[in-house]
Amino acid sequence: MFSSNNQVAPSLRTILLCFIVAILEGLDLQTVGVAAPAMAATFKLDSAALGWVFSAGLIGLLPGAVFGGWLADRFGRKKVLIGAVILFGLFSLLTAHSATYEQLLAARLITGLGMGAALPILIALSSEVASVELRNMAVSLTYCGVPLGGAVAAMIGMFSVSGDWRLVFYVGGVAPLLIALVLMLWLPESRAHRGQALALGETTRELLGERRRFATLLLWGSCFCTLTILYMLLNWLPTLLIERGLSRLDTSAIQVLFNIGGVAGSLLAGRLMDKGRALLAVLLAYLGMFAALAALGMVEQLQGLYIAGMAAGACAVGGQLILYALAPRIYPTQVRATGVGVAVAVGRLGSMSGPLLAGQLLAAGAGVSGLLLAVSPLVAIAAFTAATLLTHERRVLPVVGSMAN
């Protein structure tokens, strides 16, 4: 999997540590979704106000992704990653100690800044240490930590005896602070040299110049649509299932299955891409996503909802993995973290839109089935742009796909 034999140990260590940080990010991303029903009762929030709690952290993810990637290209991946992990750990703890709705929004906003900065660095680091033929699998191994972390969050919610919604935020805050110390000691320095970040104009030309403009716009469009769906599910799925009459335990079980499915979908998508079957991965992800959304809205049997939840996770997370694995291939080393970060940030616009849109539709009286089916056009757009990115830009991807380090 790795570039040369004498780099195997540092490369393995890099991917392992990136995977652990991804678990922590996934845990924190889903803490609000897990805590939402009890949190809404504590702060007396309606659906629209709860939508803003979901979206506050996602709003922070956007500038975090853009500037985190740029800072990593300029000052070094390791230093910026450690700072990002400390930031989202501290403000996860502050979320648990929020006394007012305004404090809750502020804590989630700043938590999102740290999480947004971390993700593009994790993707860039894992893609840089792997050999070309297994680079997609390296990214998928790292990224599957995100749904695993979500499963951990759901299990904390499931087995919390006291039912205290703050517990999941304590775990999501203390663990990153401990891992930050591990990163300081054991994360190898990136092979990308500090100071490589280009001036703003040069960076813009690398991303949106004639050579890469079409690929960049397709990547952005697919990221936006896919993340709209993914984050609507991540944040609203527990509440939607409870509204359908499921118990707290059954709801948590489906959320765990959603995340386990995400791990499987991420690994399968990465393997298909390394085998040259990326278009098949796209078709499986987005056709499966459409079917799973319909099933979550219409299936009545609990066992069917278990299967639908797992399939939804596999397809939504797998679809996003495809895009995250493609992003580092498009851009050269000196703008790689920046390019990935901007793509993640554009996707975060979708991740903000999803929870807000769901909150407004539910507040207006839309049913669960209607809400899930309303996003089906986004599935079609995401599938089309992802497939076009794979098939239309042959003069770009083979050239930079080698990703000379």
Side-chain angles (χ1 to χ4, degrees), residues 59 62 189 224 231 298 388 392-393:
I59 291 170
L62 194 154
E189 291 286 356
F224 178 89
Y231 277 81
M298 294 185 291
T388 304
H392 194 75
E393 283 297 295

Side-chain angles (χ1 to χ4, degrees), residues 290 293-294 298 368-377:
F290 179 82
L293 287 172
M298 294 185 291
V368 175
S369 299
L371 172 64
L372 293 173
L373 291 176
V375 301
S376 58

